[in-house]
Amino acid sequence: MNVQTPDITARSWAMIATLGVVWGGTFMVQSIALQTTPPFWVASARIGFATLLTWVVWRWRGGLMFTTAQTDWPRLTLVALLSSAVPFMCLSWGQQFVPSAFAGVSMASVTLFILPLAHLFLPGERMTLRRTLGFLLGFAGVAALIGPEALSATGAANESWGRAACLAAAGCYAISSVMMRRLPPIDPIGLTFATLAIGALLVIPVAAFAHGAPANPGLNGLLVLALLGLVPTAGANLLRILVIRSAGPVFMSLTNYLVPLCSILFGWLILSEQLPASLFLSMALILSGVFLSQWGALTRLFRRP
């Protein structure tokens, strides 16, 4: 089997920077959306708008799904629920009680959660000493992130549950990433559309049951919801596919360092969020753990031939 050598160009760096800014700003935009719309309807609008745009791209690209005779719809359905529906609901609900910066930093822990799961379920992804040390360092950051002193500035009654919801979303992303590696050959655009469409079938009924019929958020609120679905959800995921296919998944992992930094910056500059030192300590520990665990892959990626 021929494996394409990563082709890292100035365009690759521009796409990575764009993804870091867009995904880092997602949590700020979601906080704004929650001012006019209940949390599960925010998740529904996000996944609904994204599904429509991705469907157009998918049909334009030929409407492919599984690329061989082998299919696995049950696994794909579970991947969809864990990579879109459940984390979208967890994040939108949790962000009622925590600052957007917290949600952004919690997403940096996805790579750390993947390490032990990959060790157990993916051949060739064993936990080396370096990966184990990186995991333990990052886990200390996660513990500090959800600890009783982390981001206590909001004073919300359900703040601890909000923190747990954000970290649960990160766990869902990690589990779905490992499960996705075990899917049969599948078109990447088709995979993106399927995960969103299947997820929408869960999120929208849950929103209707929990909140009733959606209220009119006003023109500004509707524009924020459309932005949330079209740009960071649909558009950024399509851009993510381009990065992975050209520069490779290890290069794509550099977004793990950009997203929390951007989320903190947006939350501080635009939403005037109060960010205590515990948040920065957590971020430093998590990012250090991610860097240590990925050191081998990153050095191979940038080593001169």
Side-chain angles (χ1 to χ4, degrees), residues 44 55 60 65 125 184 228 246 268 272 280 301:
S44 296
W55 176 80
W60 175 64
M65 191 60 67
E125 295 286 351
L228 189 61
S246 60
W268 176 57
S272 300
F280 296 95
L301 178 65

Side-chain angles (χ1 to χ4, degrees), residues 30 46 80-92 165 168-170 172-173 176:
Q30 189 152 273
R46 178 179 181 182
L81 297 180
L82 292 176
S83 65
S84 61
V86 177
F88 285 3
M89 289 191 292
C90 285
L91 285 170
S92 59
C172 287
Y173 285 134
S176 65

Side-chain angles (χ1 to χ4, degrees), residues 1-27:
M1 181 177 64
N2 293 327
V3 179
Q4 182 180 0
T5 302
D7 181 22
I8 301 171
T9 64
R11 181 170 173 265
S12 304
W13 284 105
M15 289 192 292
I16 279 289
T18 300
L19 285 172
V21 172
V22 169
W23 278 337
T26 299
F27 310 101

Side-chain angles (χ1 to χ4, degrees), residues 203-263:
V203 178
I204 294 174
V206 168
F209 177 79
H211 304 307
N216 182 5
L219 178 59
N220 289 339
L222 185 61
L223 290 176
V224 170
L225 292 171
L227 175 67
L228 189 61
L230 296 177
V231 179
T233 308
N237 273 295
L238 294 172
L239 184 59
R240 168 180 169 270
I241 291 171
L242 293 177
V243 173
I244 291 175
R245 289 171 67 90
S246 60
V250 175
F251 185 77
M252 177 65 206
S253 70
L254 294 177
T255 57
N256 291 322
Y257 304 95
L258 295 175
V259 170
L261 296 175
C262 291
S263 69

Side-chain angles (χ1 to χ4, degrees), residues 161-176:
W161 288 108
R163 297 172 189 166
C166 291
L167 288 172
C172 287
Y173 285 134
I175 295 171
S176 65

Side-chain angles (χ1 to χ4, degrees), residues 7-277:
D7 181 22
I8 301 171
T9 64
R11 181 170 173 265
S12 304
W13 284 105
M15 289 192 292
I16 279 289
T18 300
L19 285 172
V21 172
V22 169
W23 278 337
T26 299
F27 310 101
M28 175 194 68
V29 176
Q30 189 152 273
S31 290
I32 296 172
L34 287 167
Q35 296 174 8
T36 59
T37 306
F40 293 155
W41 278 121
V42 170
S44 296
R46 178 179 181 182
I47 202 170
F49 280 114
T51 299
L52 290 175
L53 177 59
T54 309
W55 176 80
V56 172
V57 176
W58 178 61
R59 293 298 302 172
W60 175 64
R61 296 263 302 182
L64 297 176
M65 191 60 67
F66 292 102
T67 57
T68 67
Q70 184 183 6
T71 63
D72 192 343
W73 285 101
R75 188 185 298 272
L76 177 57
T77 299
L78 187 55
V79 166
L81 297 180
L82 292 176
S83 65
S84 61
V86 177
F88 285 3
M89 289 191 292
C90 285
L91 285 170
S92 59
W93 185 86
Q95 277 196 249
Q96 297 177 103
F97 313 111
V98 300
S100 64
F102 182 100
V105 172
S106 68
M107 291 301 101
S109 63
V110 171
T111 300
L112 298 171
F113 291 158
I114 287 175
L115 290 175
L117 293 170
H119 174 81
L120 292 173
F121 299 109
L122 295 178
E125 295 286 351
R126 311 301 293 175
M127 286 283 283
T128 62
L129 177 60
R130 186 186 62 250
R131 286 184 174 183
T132 301
L133 292 175
F135 171 77
L136 293 175
L137 184 62
F139 185 80
V142 172
L145 192 64
I146 202 170
E149 301 301 323
L151 294 181
S152 58
T154 65
N158 291 319
E159 188 169 2
S160 294
W161 288 108
R163 297 172 189 166
C166 291
L167 288 172
C172 287
Y173 285 134
I175 295 171
S176 65
S177 296
V178 172
M179 293 185 64
M180 200 176 292
R181 296 269 298 273
R182 300 177 68 92
L183 282 171
I186 188 169
D187 179 76
I189 305 294
L191 175 61
T192 303
F193 167 68
T195 55
L196 292 169
I198 294 171
L201 295 177
L202 173 66
V203 178
I204 294 174
V206 168
F209 177 79
H211 304 307
N216 182 5
L219 178 59
N220 289 339
L222 185 61
L223 290 176
V224 170
L225 292 171
L227 175 67
L228 189 61
L230 296 177
V231 179
T233 308
N237 273 295
L238 294 172
L239 184 59
R240 168 180 169 270
I241 291 171
L242 293 177
V243 173
I244 291 175
R245 289 171 67 90
S246 60
V250 175
F251 185 77
M252 177 65 206
S253 70
L254 294 177
T255 57
N256 291 322
Y257 304 95
L258 295 175
V259 170
L261 296 175
C262 291
S263 69
I264 285 178
L265 188 62
F266 286 133
W268 176 57
L269 289 177
I270 299 178
L271 300 182
S272 300
E273 293 177 345
Q274 299 298 312
L275 307 176

